[in-house]
């Protein structure tokens, strides 16, 4: 039972078991078909042969009153030899044997079943005693001008040679089928070994990675395995990038906090307490912004690790509903174009963060109108986002500034100035593109491709 269970847990074992069962079934079926066809062919040939013997007897038969007479020596020598295995006989219409060949003298009894004129019967019969089984052919014959005399010609031949021929054919057939089965099993083993070799190659590549020999699955894999190997490589690459990003983020955080900490260490509350307190609050707010920004960078992921698409439309509506409540005193007319089947192949949190910051800026800096267009590219994988407002607008120089952390387009508006910086970081982590274009009638259109 454990061996069978281990076979089912093996892909090669499953394929071998199934193909083995199919092979056995096919061999049994083809063997049965061939044996039946060969047996039918032999029987037909034997029937024609025995019918020729009947015609031979008919050629030498002579009428003798209500009976028939035959010469003492028949053309077919086996009829003249006792125990030759070929027997001839004639019965009248009442089933009485009126003549039998010399080869049947030792036979105690012969079948005597009369047939009407023109009827034929072929089959295998068993004679009483130790005579064994015989192939039998009977034919009904009418003799006389008015067909008044009805006879049945009977020819019997020992069935042992026919059975021996069938056995020889069966033995030869199974011998060749067995050889063919061995060749097929060998071919099956070679095909399975060759066909499953890419899977073994994948397993070896994974083992090399575990031993530190490689950072990805290397090699040429079949078309059917490429989605698997590509996604594994993407997951591995994303995990490595995430580790590097976390390490770099911690290093950046430590480096960014050095300056505020140095300023805090140099504060002198004894000289000008108010100025020192103001400086303290500024540095604390700066440190809070730095920490928030670095945390946002640390949690952004890569779309290459995502194998399943996220529906965009529900997320956009959820963000817009939230913004309508936040900016209740500053309503905005939003024109949204986003099909229900639009998908984003990335992390849902990243998409919410990106859209949230872009739409929040549109509400915050726009003049009450916002056009949002979100759609998939021609390949179905890329996502194109366009957010256009009717605010003051951003030129190239100002766009470069506001995408830096801590810089806000309008100092009068509340915030920490890291929203667009987070958006840019998310886009870069997805190896996407982002651009801002001033509109002729005022405002800015921000385009993002992920």
């Amino acid at each position: 039972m454990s061996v069978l269970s281990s076979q089912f847990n093996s892909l090669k074992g499953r394929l071998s078991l199934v193909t083995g069962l199919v092979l056995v079934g096919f061999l049994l079926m083809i063997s049965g078909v061939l044996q039946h066809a060969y047996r039918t062919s032999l029987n037909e040939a034997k029937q024609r042969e025995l019918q020729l013997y009947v015609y031979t007897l008919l050629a030498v038969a002579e009428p003798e009153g209500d009976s028939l007479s035959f010469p003492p020596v028949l053309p077919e020598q086996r009829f003249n030899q006792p125990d030759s295995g070929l027997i001839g006989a004639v019965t009248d219409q009442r089933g009485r044997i009126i003549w039998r060949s010399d080869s049947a003298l030792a036979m105690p009894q012969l079948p005597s079943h009369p047939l009407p004129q023109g009827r034929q019967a072929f089959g295998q019969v068993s004679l009483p005693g130790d005579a064994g089984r015989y192939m039998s052919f009977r034919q009904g014959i009418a003799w006389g001008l008015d067909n008044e005399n009805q006879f049945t010609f009977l020819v019997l031949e020992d069935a042992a040679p026919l059975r021996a021929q069938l056995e020889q054919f069966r033995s030869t057939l199974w011998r060749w089928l067995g050889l063919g089965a061995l060749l097929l099993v060998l071919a099956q083993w070679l095909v399975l070994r060759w066909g499953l070799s890419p899977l073994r190659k994948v397993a070896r590549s994974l083992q090399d990675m575990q031993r530190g020999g490689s950072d990805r699955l290397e090699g040429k894999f079949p078309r059917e395995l490429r989605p698997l190997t590509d996604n594994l490589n993407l997951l591995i690459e994303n995990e490595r990038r995430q580790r590097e990003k976390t390490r770099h983020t911690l290093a950046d955080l430590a480096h960014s906090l050095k300056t505020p900490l140095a300023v805090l260490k140099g504060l002198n509350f004894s000289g000008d307490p108010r100025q020192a307190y103001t400086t303290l609050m500024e540095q604390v707010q700066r440190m809070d912004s730095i920490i928030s920004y670095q945390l946002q960078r640390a949690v952004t992921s890569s779309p290459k690790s995502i194998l399943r698409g996220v529906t965009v439309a529900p997320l956009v509506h959820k963000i817009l509903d939230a913004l309508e409540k936040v900016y209740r005193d500053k309503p905005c007319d939003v024109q949204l174009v986003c099909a229900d089947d639009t998908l984003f192949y990335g992390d849902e949190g990243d998409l919410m963060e990106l859209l949230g910051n872009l739409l929040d800026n549109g509400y915050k800096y726009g003049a009450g109108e916002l056009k949002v267009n979100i759609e998939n590219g021609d390949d179905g994988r890329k996502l194109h986002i366009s957010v256009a407002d009717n605010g003051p607008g951003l030129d190239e120089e100002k766009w470069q500034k506001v995408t830096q952390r801590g810089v806000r387009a309008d100092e009068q508006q509340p915030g920490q100035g890291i929203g667009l910086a987070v958006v840019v970081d998310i886009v870069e982590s997805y190896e996407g593109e982002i651009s801002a274009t001033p509109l002729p009638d005022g405002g800015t259109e921000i385009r993002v491709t992920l």
Side-chain angles (χ1 to χ4, degrees), residues 4 13 135 147 167 224 228 257 284 295 358 375 383-384:
L4 184 59
M135 303 302 298
N147 296 329
E167 288 298 328
E224 293 80 4
L228 172 65
L257 291 177
V284 169
L295 288 177
L358 291 180
E375 61 184 1
L383 184 70
H384 300 287

Side-chain angles (χ1 to χ4, degrees), residues 251-265 283 286-287 290:
D252 292 345
L253 179 61
H255 182 270
S256 301
L257 291 177
K258 286 182 179 180
T259 302
L261 289 174
V263 174
L264 292 177
K265 289 179 181 178
Q283 296 305 316
R286 182 180 178 187
M287 292 172 65
I290 290 172

Side-chain angles (χ1 to χ4, degrees), residues 240-294:
R240 179 179 56 81
R241 287 186 177 184
Q242 200 66 34
R243 288 202 313 269
E244 292 180 356
K245 180 181 290 185
T246 302
R247 185 170 61 251
H248 293 163
T249 300
L250 291 175
D252 292 345
L253 179 61
H255 182 270
S256 301
L257 291 177
K258 286 182 179 180
T259 302
L261 289 174
V263 174
L264 292 177
K265 289 179 181 178
L267 289 178
N268 185 6
F269 284 89
S270 60
D272 189 351
R274 180 173 295 178
Q275 180 63 32
Y277 177 77
T278 302
T279 303
L280 172 64
M281 296 306 297
E282 288 177 353
Q283 296 305 316
V284 169
Q285 184 177 7
R286 182 180 178 187
M287 292 172 65
D288 182 67
S289 299
I290 290 172
I291 293 173
S292 299
Y293 171 74
Q294 295 295 348

Side-chain angles (χ1 to χ4, degrees), residues 107-281:
M107 295 293 174
Q109 185 177 355
L110 296 177
S112 57
H113 303 288
L115 292 177
Q117 179 188 3
R119 290 287 299 276
Q120 296 177 350
F122 174 78
Q124 194 172 135
V125 297
S126 296
L127 297 183
D130 298 331
R133 299 186 65 83
Y134 281 75
M135 303 302 298
S136 168
F137 181 82
R138 294 178 296 140
Q139 183 167 354
I141 302 295
W143 213 283
L145 296 177
D146 297 326
N147 296 329
E148 66 274 9
N149 296 323
Q150 301 286 333
F151 302 101
T152 300
F153 279 67
L154 170 66
V155 175
L156 301 174
E157 187 174 21
D158 190 1
L162 188 65
R163 291 198 303 269
Q165 195 171 355
L166 284 173
E167 288 298 328
Q168 182 181 3
F169 174 79
R170 185 180 295 110
S171 175
T172 304
L173 175 65
W174 277 109
R175 186 163 54 249
W176 284 104
L177 286 180
L179 178 60
L182 290 177
L183 294 177
L184 287 176
V185 169
L186 177 61
Q188 169 190 312
W189 182 81
L190 293 175
V191 168
L192 287 178
R193 183 175 178 81
W194 174 72
L196 297 178
S197 59
L199 293 178
R200 291 195 296 272
K201 189 175 181 181
V202 172
R204 287 195 297 268
S205 297
L206 289 174
Q207 292 175 357
D208 291 341
M209 290 178 56
Q210 292 174 351
R211 291 193 291 263
S214 176
D215 293 334
R216 58 184 287 112
L217 297 176
E218 301 290 347
K220 293 183 178 180
F221 299 101
R223 181 174 62 254
E224 293 80 4
L225 288 182
R226 286 175 191 166
L228 172 65
T229 55
D230 290 346
N231 286 326
L232 284 175
N233 281 329
L234 293 176
L235 289 171
I236 294 167
E237 180 184 354
N238 180 72
E239 191 273 339
R240 179 179 56 81
R241 287 186 177 184
Q242 200 66 34
R243 288 202 313 269
E244 292 180 356
K245 180 181 290 185
T246 302
R247 185 170 61 251
H248 293 163
T249 300
L250 291 175
D252 292 345
L253 179 61
H255 182 270
S256 301
L257 291 177
K258 286 182 179 180
T259 302
L261 289 174
V263 174
L264 292 177
K265 289 179 181 178
L267 289 178
N268 185 6
F269 284 89
S270 60
D272 189 351
R274 180 173 295 178
Q275 180 63 32
Y277 177 77
T278 302
T279 303
L280 172 64
M281 296 306 297

Side-chain angles (χ1 to χ4, degrees), residues 393-404 407 436 438:
L394 293 173
D395 54 21
E396 182 65 25
E397 181 179 358
K398 201 168 186 179
W399 169 253
Q400 295 298 328
K401 290 182 179 180
V402 297
T403 53
Q404 299 176 9
V407 178

